Amino acid sequence: IPIPIPIPIPIPITNNNQSSIMPTSPESAVKKLARLPSNCICPNCGTTSKYGFSTICIKYLTFVCNPCKSSHQAISHRCKSLTMSSWDQGEVLKLKSHGNDYARSVWLGNG
């Protein structure tokens, strides 16, 4: 008589405390970084955004406003959209260690 082998059933793991868990994708991690208070002030012009900016200048790893994004692109700096681009963990780690405060302190000397 063959012995029945149990089939594993995936059990969804839920946690109602969403703030304590790490974002599940690089995209959500980048969006979370964009909402940090330091990244809600454009490092180029000083414009503030309540919910953060939707563009990142890849050369300087900064969250920038739309007019400054256009200026960066005009001089061939690569910019990526928070929502329309794909992100990987390496980029997220670089953004975590840099960001707008870091850029202000290094490039503008007023951080």
Side-chain angles (χ1 to χ4, degrees), residues 27-38:
E27 287 78 14
S28 60
V30 171
K31 288 178 185 175
K32 188 173 181 179
L33 288 172
R35 290 189 299 269
L36 292 176
S38 61

Side-chain angles (χ1 to χ4, degrees), residues 1-106:
I1 297 178
I3 299 173
I5 300 173
I7 300 172
I9 300 171
I11 300 172
I13 299 172
T14 58
N15 185 347
N16 291 335
N17 187 2
Q18 294 295 323
S19 63
S20 67
I21 41 179
M22 289 296 294
T24 56
S25 70
E27 287 78 14
S28 60
V30 171
K31 288 178 185 175
K32 188 173 181 179
L33 288 172
R35 290 189 299 269
L36 292 176
S38 61
N39 292 332
C40 289
I41 303 169
C42 180
N44 300 104
C45 68
T47 299
T48 59
S49 172
K50 186 175 180 179
Y51 302 108
F53 300 109
S54 62
T55 306
I56 296 172
C57 175
I58 298 300
K59 179 171 179 139
Y60 298 111
L61 297 170
T62 55
F63 296 82
V64 296
C65 65
N66 283 335
C68 289
K69 171 198 76 154
S70 298
S71 297
H72 279 286
Q73 289 176 327
I75 54 174
S76 300
H77 292 171
R78 183 171 173 232
C79 294
K80 287 179 76 172
S81 167
L82 243 57
T83 56
M84 301 300 289
S85 299
S86 59
W87 299 88
D88 62 38
Q89 280 303 119
E91 290 171 318
V92 172
L93 292 174
K94 286 180 188 176
L95 283 169
K96 280 184 182 179
S97 65
H98 287 76
N100 292 5
D101 275 348
Y102 177 83
R104 274 190 286 275
S105 66
V106 171

